[in-house]
Structures are given as structure tokens and as C-alpha cells.
Amino acid sequence: MRFQPFLTALVAAILGIMTETDLRAGDEPSDKPRGLAFEEWLKTKEGSVNGVLIRLTKTESVETDPKVSDRVVILKLNWSINYDGKRWPLVILEPSLANETSGQTCVHVVAIGRSGKEYRSLIDSPSPIRAAQSEKKWFRELDKDKPALVGTVEADLSIAKKRFIKYYPDEFSPDVTPDIYVMLEHLPIDRGQHLRLDAWTGDLSTSTKKVLVKKW
């Protein structure tokens, strides 16, 4: 789904200064959303990679309490990871946009413009300000007697919203909420060897799901 995903994530993990969005655009602004062949995109289904399968089990949008903080719409992506391989237990870096994993987790946000054309913006996990290694609590372990790993990735919709409006003002506006779709991609390259782990690495992605957003 991405452009040169392994190389991008590897560079980001080693240098701690570049993410996928820094590399994919060439001369164009790195945060500019791209058009895509949406009908073909929707046909893409999740598939097992070396025994590991990631799925979106639920998607929703949640608005923060304006009495507590500025209004923010959070996209919540509930995920599950199943494993039917031979190397037990499965140890894997947890999908997260909160942990500083330098783009090893990414949420694809697709918005439908006024013309009916689709645009995609990527929200990556952040890179650390200083060079830093992953923490043990960022990894999850699945034993044979457990059905699956589960968790939730939260993405701030305003990040993608600002990009859509900035670069495509004829297609998007602050007051008109477009149809929103999401896809979760997880590209763990961190084995956690400094933590004496041997975590799974590979390229995982879910199918695309629509998210009900009343007001973005």
C-alpha cells in the first residue's frame, strides 16, 4: 500500500528524523494528500503475512469534551491480530500512533471531495526528538491459549482535515463533512533485540472501513 515501506521505515527507525510522509512526495509538499483509485482500493482485503493477520474490528469517531479542551475529533480504530504460525509465542510491536516508532504504524485517511474524487492523507506514528530505543511495554505477546491480541489506535482527524482543506479548497471546507474511510497499516521492523526479544517483523494492513463522522 505504501511507497517503499520497508526502506522508509528502516530509514526512520535508524535516523529518527524522517517518516514516510517525508519521502513519498518528491518535489511536492510532504503532507499533501494524494488522489487514488478508490474502487480498486476498496477491493483490497487483509491477508495473512507469515501467519500474522491484522483486522479492523470496529471504527468510530469520538468528539472530545469542549468543556475540557479544544474540540477534537478522534478516529478510533479497534484492531485485532491473529496468528497461526509455528513460532510461539508471537511477539510483535503494538500498532500505535502514540508510541514514537518512526512511522511503523500508519492510518490512511480517505476523504471524498465535492467532485466525488477521493483523496488520501497519511498519519504516521511520530519519531523521537532524540535518538531513542523502543520500550518493552510497546511490545505485545500472544500465546497459543489466547484467541488474539486486541487494541485501539487513535488518530486526530484534524491533522488530515487541515491538509485536505489547505491543498484542495475547491473540494473541502471546514463546515461540510465529507465521507471518511480509514485503513490501518502496521510495518514493524523493530525486533526489540536490545530488550532480549525476537519480535515479528513484516508489512500488515487491514481492509478499508468507513467511519461515521457527524462533524469533522
Side-chain angles (χ1 to χ4, degrees):
M1 288 299 181
R2 284 192 181 183
F3 302 92
Q4 298 178 312
F6 180 82
L7 176 60
T8 297
L10 180 60
V11 171
I14 294 175
L15 300 181
I17 57 173
M18 300 180 73
T19 64
E20 193 274 342
T21 52
D22 294 314
L23 298 179
R24 72 175 182 275
D27 294 333
E28 292 191 310
S30 63
D31 63 343
K32 184 178 181 180
R34 301 292 186 267
L36 74 162
F38 192 56
E39 292 302 319
E40 293 301 315
W41 177 272
L42 287 177
K43 295 177 183 178
T44 303
K45 303 297 182 182
E46 63 268 343
S48 176
V49 179
N50 295 327
V52 180
L53 176 65
I54 189 170
R55 291 189 176 99
L56 287 180
T57 57
K58 182 181 179 182
T59 59
E60 62 179 335
S61 63
V62 178
E63 187 174 329
T64 58
D65 187 349
K67 296 179 182 179
V68 178
S69 61
D70 294 337
R71 179 182 177 274
V72 176
V73 176
I74 300 297
L75 302 177
K76 300 185 72 173
L77 286 65
N78 293 352
W79 55 265
S80 68
I81 291 178
N82 295 87
Y83 181 60
D84 62 2
K86 298 179 179 180
R87 295 181 59 190
W88 293 94
L90 171 70
V91 178
I92 187 171
L93 186 71
E94 180 179 40
S96 171
L97 292 185
N99 298 333
E100 295 177 333
T101 60
S102 301
Q104 291 181 76
T105 299
C106 174
V107 172
H108 298 244
V109 181
V110 177
I112 313 300
R114 289 192 182 97
S115 68
K117 187 175 180 179
E118 304 89 0
Y119 299 87
R120 177 183 54 161
S121 180
L122 276 64
I123 304 176
D124 292 313
S125 59
S127 298
I129 297 176
R130 297 183 178 88
Q133 292 182 312
S134 53
E135 301 178 26
K136 192 168 185 178
K137 63 182 179 181
W138 295 356
F139 292 84
R140 298 283 297 276
E141 183 175 305
L142 178 63
D143 296 315
K144 271 190 174 182
D145 58 349
K146 296 179 181 178
L149 295 174
V150 296
T152 302
V153 168
E154 297 187 352
D156 183 349
L157 178 58
S158 68
I159 296 174
K161 175 185 175 180
K162 291 175 183 177
R163 296 171 182 170
F164 290 132
I165 295 172
K166 175 182 177 180
Y167 292 107
Y168 304 100
D170 293 336
E171 294 276 30
F172 302 100
S173 64
D175 300 324
V176 179
T177 302
D179 288 340
I180 298 292
Y181 295 80
V182 294
M183 189 267 275
L184 176 64
E185 189 169 19
H186 191 45
L187 304 160
I189 63 168
D190 189 345
R191 293 190 177 276
Q193 293 176 323
H194 59 289
L195 300 168
R196 297 186 178 181
L197 300 176
D198 186 19
W200 185 93
T201 59
D203 187 342
L204 300 171
S205 60
T206 69
S207 58
T208 302
K209 302 289 186 182
K210 187 174 183 178
V211 185
L212 177 61
V213 179
K214 294 182 179 180
K215 182 180 180 181
W216 73 341

